[in-house]
Amino acid sequence: MGKVATRRALLGIMVFVCLAHVWAYFAPELWYDTFPHIGAPWQTRLGPYNEHLVTDMSALYMALGVVTTAAMRLADSDSFVTTVGAGWLTFCVFHVLYHMQHLGMFTTGERIALLSVLSTQTLVAAALLVPSPKKKSSDTEDAAAGH
């Protein structure tokens, strides 16, 4: 994956982290009572409110966000970007597997929305494992140009 696409994928991950999980950390009960939106909270269907669980999960997302931000700065390092991608992919696969086993509590529309978001996150994380295209060396370019 090229550097621009890599940075865009990482930025997409960061937007998700910031929108959902900074909110959850600093207002855990409000997040629990309203996520993903007022009128159809999903968390309340998964069990009783637990501030410790919500804030720990949010802190973990934010920690991954810090590493993701570093990957944006170091997008030229395939090894660093793929390591970050592998971390996100590991999390995303297990996250989507959990939710696939607990779809009964959601409406059809909610199932589609949930699986669409989680599948997209998983695919974006997997895309980070694709190394960037190798540039031709200047010697190869010079030879090709007839210099």
Side-chain angles (χ1 to χ4, degrees):
M1 186 161 59
K3 300 304 173 213
V4 171
T6 297
R7 285 191 172 98
R8 286 181 180 163
L10 292 164
L11 181 61
I13 291 170
M14 287 306 303
V15 167
F16 173 75
V17 168
C18 290
L19 288 178
H21 301 290
V22 172
W23 165 31
Y25 186 83
F26 291 103
E29 194 166 358
L30 177 64
W31 177 86
Y32 175 83
D33 289 338
T34 60
F35 183 81
H37 59 83
I38 295 171
W42 292 351
Q43 304 310 315
T44 56
R45 300 178 209 169
L46 295 171
Y49 173 70
N50 181 321
E51 182 177 357
H52 180 219
L53 180 61
V54 171
T55 57
D56 278 5
M57 180 272 313
S58 300
L60 175 61
Y61 266 105
M62 290 189 291
L64 279 169
V66 168
V67 174
T68 303
T69 301
M72 288 173 67
R73 288 199 69 217
L74 302 170
D76 292 334
S77 171
D78 279 348
S79 61
F80 189 71
V81 170
T82 56
T83 301
V84 171
W88 273 109
L89 184 59
T90 301
F91 174 78
C92 289
V93 165
F94 286 108
H95 192 195
V96 76
L97 286 174
Y98 172 84
H99 284 289
M100 288 176 72
Q101 296 171 29
H102 298 89
L103 290 173
M105 64 191 72
F106 299 112
T107 67
T108 300
E110 290 171 335
R111 290 175 191 163
I112 292 168
L114 177 64
L115 292 178
S116 295
V117 169
L118 296 180
S119 296
T120 299
Q121 291 171 345
T122 304
L123 291 173
V124 169
L128 294 173
L129 301 180
V130 176
S132 61
K134 299 297 178 203
K135 291 184 179 180
K136 296 179 184 177
S137 70
S138 60
D139 292 337
T140 306
E141 289 174 16
D142 289 344
H147 292 104

